[in-house]
């Protein structure tokens, strides 16, 4: 935490190296978070880039409230939501064309997945309702607390905990080969 | 999947990775944005005016923690070695006192070091309470090495404890009082009578080290009325103690270490035997991240620091930002350990702090130096927080 503050301070005072360290430290985590939220690697990279550019642009007035990772994760989550909303709008507008799209042409996510089990888990993640996926990704990859996720999703902490638990149960069931009802 | 298998651990393994080319491209794009920004705004900070510094939990905590340390370090109201109150009546008053209260005002000629006003109260068997005009209250149980700092206006408090703290006859306030009680007649100069505030007082002077202590006693009642301390090493600075009262009824509640109901509480502890130079460096580094200009603490003087910190807060010299309870605890502990390192240095270490107006990163300017026990050389900490061994003859003048 103190290290992040110091890095931000140095960055504010013009240290590009400090910014590089921040980027190296968190870009991977943010990419993973965005990737798990979007199921789209290119889109995830764009979001991470946007988030860091936003940080650069606002550094003069930026004040860290909480952890830097939580801040970045929240930014990633907000942008991912915007991105998904935009896609839904586009999808609805192109509904007829979408119906004609053959099954199996959905872009696959290029992840660093080595095992079959992880691939299965990744696919299962994409099938979760977005709120559940978001709760899981923000909790596990963004290190956000349930309270913080609740603020982001504008629901109660209990609701977030339920979403998280239901999501995990579904993933566990999928990996165990159970038929979802 | 086995029932016991942790799904969360598995999800954590779902990592996305970019190729080095993509990584460089994204970073390049961000740095390009940085270049564009720098062209538009060449490194100017936009001051935060949308809320006051005093709303910052960081700075509030900083100020409170500073007060803690100030008291724990030992406020040398009676001078470093204990002023030499020269006459038997005063010694008797002190010897028989179960409680003692007085006011203390410290002035410096330095504009940035504002006047400090404190109310002090001592009670057997080792309780001390200080109150500042800013509203800070500190209570220490010196026998337990425990204390509490209260800031009633904000309903915040910090509990602090130091284990393995070695009491020192120079640094511990209560031991200073103990010394006063057993003082031999050491006055080396009689000043005769003088009228002060409408009272005829008799003065005595004791010079010890760099401190000149002047004690004024009511000729009629032989009550201790006023103690003045001048510091030959700090011309223009002086401390004046007045309003002495002995054996006044002081309720135990004044010295309670239990925080009032509704106060936000922060606890800091330090095993003093484990603090090192690195703790001091970490504290200095942390302070530099609090100040907007990246400067180090203006002083280590326990009398000046709390007031100066409060002034800095008022002047908006600290950055904004709110922190979690966990962070505040970590920062308070770090600060506590850092200053504890200095307080535990023996007098013969000849430590000196010179970090005022020095910003973090200044590799040329020494900000702190001391002679470790048994060492022939001094450890000198520079503005970039590097440490070098320096021969005594090469120390900064």
């Amino acid at each position: 935490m103190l290290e992040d503050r110091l890095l931000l301070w140095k960055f504010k005072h013009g240290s590009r190296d400090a910014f590089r360290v921040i980027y190296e430290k968190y870009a991977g985590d943010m990419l993973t978070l965005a990737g798990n939220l979007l199921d789209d690697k290119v889109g995830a990279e764009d979001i991470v880039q946007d988030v860091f550019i936003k940080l650069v642009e606002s550094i003069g007035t930026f004040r860290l409230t909480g952890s830097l990772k939580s801040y970045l994760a929240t930014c990633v989550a907000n942008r991912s939501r915007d991105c998904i909303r935009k896609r839904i709008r586009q999808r609805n507008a192109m509904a007829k064309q979408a119906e004609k799209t053959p099954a199996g042409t959905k872009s696959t996510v290029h992840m660093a997945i080595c095992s079959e089990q992880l691939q299965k888990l990744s696919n299962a993640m994409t099938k979760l309702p977005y709120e559940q996926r978001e709760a899981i990704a923000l909790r596990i990859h963004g290190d956000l607390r349930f309270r913080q996720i609740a603020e982001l999703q504008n629901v109660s902490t209990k609701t977030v905990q339920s979403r998280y638990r239901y999501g995990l149960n579904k993933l566990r069931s999928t990996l165990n080969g159970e038929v979802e009802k | 999947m086995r029932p016991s298998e942790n799904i969360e651990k598995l999800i954590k393994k779902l990592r996305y990775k970019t190729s080095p080319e993509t990584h460089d491209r994204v970073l390049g794009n961000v740095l390009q944005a940085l270049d564009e920004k720098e062209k538009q705004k060449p490194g100017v900070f936009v001051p935060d005016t949308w809320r006051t510094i005093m709303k910052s939990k960081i700075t509030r905590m900083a100020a409170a923690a500073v007060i803690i340390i100030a008291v724990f370090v030992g406020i040398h109201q009676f001078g470093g070695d204990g002023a030499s109150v020269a006459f038997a009546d005063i010694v008797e008053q002190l010897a028989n006192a179960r409680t003692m209260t007085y006011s203390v005002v410290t002035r410096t000629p330095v504009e940035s070091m504002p006047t400090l006003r404190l109310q002090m109260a001592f009670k057997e068997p080792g309780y001390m309470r200080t109150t500042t005009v800013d509203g800070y209250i500190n209570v220490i149980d010196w026998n337990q090495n425990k204390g509490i700092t209260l800031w009633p206006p904000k309903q915040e408090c910090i509990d602090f404890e130091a284990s393995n703290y070695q009491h020192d006859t120079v640094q511990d306030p209560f031991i200073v009082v103990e010394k006063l009680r057993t003082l031999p007649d050491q006055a080396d100069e009689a000043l005769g009578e003088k009228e002060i505030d409408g009272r005829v007082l008799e003065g005595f002077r004791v010079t010890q080290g760099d401190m000149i202590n002047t004690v004024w006693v009511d000729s009629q009642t032989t009550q201790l009325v006023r103690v003045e301390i001048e510091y030959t090493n700090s011309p223009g600075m002086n401390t004046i103690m007045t309003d002495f009262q002995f054996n006044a009824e002081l309720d135990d509640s004044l010295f309670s270490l239990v925080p009032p109901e509704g106060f936000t509480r922060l606890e800091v502890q330090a095993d003093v035997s484990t603090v090192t130079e690195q703790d001091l460096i970490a504290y200095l580094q942390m302070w530099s991240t609090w100040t907007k200009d990246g400067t180090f603490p203006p002083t280590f003087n326990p009398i000046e620091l709390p007031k100066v910190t409060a002034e800095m807060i008022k002047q908006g010299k600290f950055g904004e930002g709110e922190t979690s309870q966990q962070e505040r605890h970590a920062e308070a502990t770090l600060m506590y350990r850092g200053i504890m390192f200095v307080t535990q240095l023996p007098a013969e270490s000849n430590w000196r702090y010179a970090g005022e107006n020095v910003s973090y990163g200044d590799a040329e300017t020494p900000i702190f130096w001391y002679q470790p026990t048994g060492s022939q050389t001094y450890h000198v900490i520079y503005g970039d927080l590097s440490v070098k061994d320096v021969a005594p003859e090469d120390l900064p003048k």
Side-chain angles (χ1 to χ4, degrees):
Chain A
M1 193 62 60
L2 290 173
E3 184 193 355
D4 286 345
R5 288 230 175 96
L6 190 62
L7 287 169
L8 283 169
W9 180 83
K10 287 181 176 177
F11 176 40
K12 276 183 186 179
H13 285 72
S15 170
R16 292 168 74 93
D17 286 343
F19 178 76
R20 279 178 191 274
V21 175
I22 292 171
Y23 182 83
E24 302 285 354
K25 189 174 176 182
Y26 291 119
D29 286 340
M30 294 308 114
L31 183 68
T32 293
L33 175 61
N36 277 295
L37 291 173
L38 291 179
D39 187 30
D40 172 4
K41 186 182 177 187
V42 175
E45 287 170 352
D46 288 344
I47 281 179
V48 171
Q49 178 176 301
D50 288 349
V51 165
F52 277 99
I53 286 177
K54 180 71 179 170
L55 177 64
V56 164
E57 290 174 345
S58 62
I59 191 64
T61 55
F62 180 75
R63 294 288 178 269
L64 187 59
T65 57
S67 80
L68 181 56
K69 185 174 181 181
S70 296
Y71 167 79
L72 293 171
T74 303
C75 292
V76 166
N78 284 330
R79 285 178 180 268
S80 297
R81 281 179 164 200
D82 292 343
C83 183
I84 284 173
R85 284 194 200 104
K86 195 174 172 183
R87 283 181 188 173
I88 290 171
R89 283 197 299 273
Q90 288 172 342
R91 196 180 301 158
N92 290 340
M94 302 171 70
K96 285 185 179 178
Q97 286 175 309
E99 284 171 10
K100 293 174 185 173
T101 304
T105 57
K106 182 177 180 294
S107 64
T108 53
V109 180
H110 305 283
M111 299 178 67
I113 296 175
C114 301
S115 74
E116 186 184 343
Q117 190 182 39
L118 279 179
Q119 185 63 60
K120 201 173 174 182
L121 178 62
S122 172
N123 291 337
M125 279 280 281
T126 65
K127 292 187 175 67
L128 288 179
Y130 185 76
E131 288 77 11
Q132 292 179 15
R133 191 181 350 150
E134 188 180 56
I136 291 171
L138 285 173
R139 182 84 181 98
I140 294 179
H141 295 297
D143 289 342
L144 259 63
R145 296 170 188 151
F146 287 124
R147 180 181 52 77
Q148 293 172 304
I149 301 170
E151 286 173 12
L152 188 71
Q153 294 188 339
N154 201 23
V155 294
S156 70
T157 304
K158 271 191 173 180
T159 301
V160 171
Q161 287 171 327
S162 297
R163 286 173 177 173
Y164 182 79
R165 195 171 60 251
Y166 290 145
L168 289 189
N169 286 340
K170 280 183 193 171
L171 293 175
R172 196 177 286 114
S173 298
T174 304
L175 289 190
N176 284 334
E178 293 176 10
V179 179
E180 291 182 61
K181 294 177 182 175
Chain B
M1 185 181 187
R2 293 189 303 276
S4 60
E5 195 157 5
N6 191 332
I7 186 88
E8 289 161 315
K9 285 184 181 172
L10 206 57
I11 294 169
K12 213 163 182 60
K13 291 180 183 173
L14 284 176
R15 302 288 303 177
Y16 279 66
K17 289 182 181 171
T18 56
S19 65
E21 294 78 21
T22 306
H23 173 277
D24 291 345
R25 176 175 53 77
V26 174
L27 179 58
N29 289 342
V30 178
L31 290 175
Q32 190 179 346
L34 177 60
D35 290 337
E36 293 295 324
K37 177 181 162 44
E38 283 175 349
K39 281 179 194 168
Q40 294 165 11
K41 282 183 176 182
V44 176
F45 287 128
V46 179
D48 282 326
T49 54
W50 58 281
R51 60 182 183 177
T52 63
I53 286 289
M54 288 302 286
K55 286 181 180 172
S56 161
K57 286 184 182 175
I58 290 175
T59 50
R60 285 211 306 266
M61 190 280 292
V66 161
I67 299 282
I68 288 173
I69 303 301
V71 176
F72 223 82
V73 165
I75 301 172
H76 305 270
Q77 303 89 351
F78 290 94
D81 296 322
S84 299
V85 181
F87 24 96
D89 286 345
I90 299 300
V91 173
E92 191 177 343
Q93 283 174 21
L94 291 164
N96 294 327
R98 302 290 298 168
T99 69
M100 180 171 71
T101 61
Y102 59 87
S103 306
V104 58
V105 179
T106 296
R107 294 184 178 85
T108 79
V110 183
E111 195 176 341
S112 61
M113 302 286 182
T115 299
L116 177 72
R117 297 172 196 277
L118 287 174
Q119 295 291 323
M120 307 292 300
F122 292 87
K123 183 173 185 176
E124 289 285 14
Y127 294 108
M128 185 176 82
R129 175 187 170 101
T130 62
T131 310
T132 73
V133 290
D134 302 303
Y136 287 105
I137 298 168
N138 279 277
V139 179
I140 291 180
D141 179 345
W142 209 249
N143 290 327
Q144 295 190 70
N145 288 333
K146 284 182 177 177
I148 188 168
T149 294
L150 303 169
W151 195 8
K154 297 293 178 185
Q155 293 219 315
E156 293 184 345
C157 69
I158 302 182
D159 291 316
F160 53 97
E161 183 175 359
S163 55
N164 292 314
Y165 186 84
Q166 298 299 312
H167 284 252
D168 184 288
T169 53
V170 173
Q171 294 184 326
D172 291 359
F174 221 88
I175 289 177
V176 170
V177 177
E178 289 293 328
K179 285 187 72 177
L180 273 175
R181 291 176 172 173
T182 56
L183 272 177
D185 189 344
Q186 292 181 5
D188 48 24
E189 186 180 357
L191 301 176
E193 287 188 345
K194 182 179 178 182
E195 188 172 327
I196 299 177
D197 296 335
R199 298 170 74 177
V200 179
L201 305 178
E202 187 175 355
F204 292 82
R205 183 169 290 158
V206 182
T207 303
Q208 286 188 323
D210 72 328
M211 275 168 285
I212 302 169
N213 308 281
T214 305
V215 181
W216 294 99
V217 181
D218 189 311
S219 303
Q220 300 293 320
T221 63
T222 69
Q223 290 283 319
L224 179 63
V225 175
R226 183 181 174 97
V227 176
E228 301 164 355
I229 302 174
E230 292 175 85
Y231 307 84
T232 54
N233 286 347
S234 304
M237 177 176 168
N238 64 65
T239 299
I240 296 174
M241 289 169 283
T242 55
D243 305 326
F244 287 92
Q245 283 196 319
F246 298 98
N247 292 319
E249 278 298 320
L250 300 179
D251 195 276
D252 284 346
S253 62
L254 290 172
F255 301 95
S256 171
L257 298 183
V258 179
E261 199 171 333
F263 272 54
T264 306
R265 188 177 182 182
L266 193 66
E267 293 179 48
V268 292
Q269 291 177 315
D271 180 345
V272 179
S273 67
T274 65
V275 298
T276 67
E277 181 184 278
Q278 284 305 311
D279 290 303
L280 170 62
I281 289 172
Y283 159 63
L284 292 169
Q285 188 171 51
M286 181 174 70
W287 184 288
S288 74
T289 65
W290 284 343
T291 50
K292 285 182 177 174
D293 55 3
T295 51
F296 295 110
T299 176
F300 258 79
N301 185 317
I303 295 176
E304 297 165 348
L305 190 53
K307 189 69 179 175
V308 172
T309 302
E311 281 298 311
M312 288 175 68
I313 292 171
K314 285 177 188 169
Q315 292 166 13
K317 291 188 175 178
F318 289 106
E320 278 290 340
E322 295 189 358
T323 52
S324 66
Q325 184 80 356
Q326 196 177 4
E327 288 173 273
R328 293 175 67 202
H329 176 262
E331 292 177 346
T333 301
L334 198 154
M335 183 174 194
Y336 192 47
R337 290 180 64 86
I339 298 188
M340 271 296 182
F341 171 74
V342 179
T343 69
Q344 287 291 284
L345 287 174
E348 56 269 25
S349 71
N350 296 319
W351 69 268
R352 188 172 162 197
Y353 178 71
E356 187 182 11
N357 297 324
V358 180
S359 292
Y360 174 73
D362 183 346
E364 304 298 322
T365 305
I367 59 171
F368 187 89
W369 55 92
Y370 71 103
Q371 191 168 28
T373 304
S375 172
Q376 298 297 312
T377 57
Y378 278 71
H379 275 201
V380 178
I381 301 173
Y382 292 83
D384 63 349
L385 299 181
S386 62
V387 183
K388 292 176 185 167
D389 281 312
V390 175
E393 58 271 23
D394 295 329
L395 284 175
K397 304 300 178 194

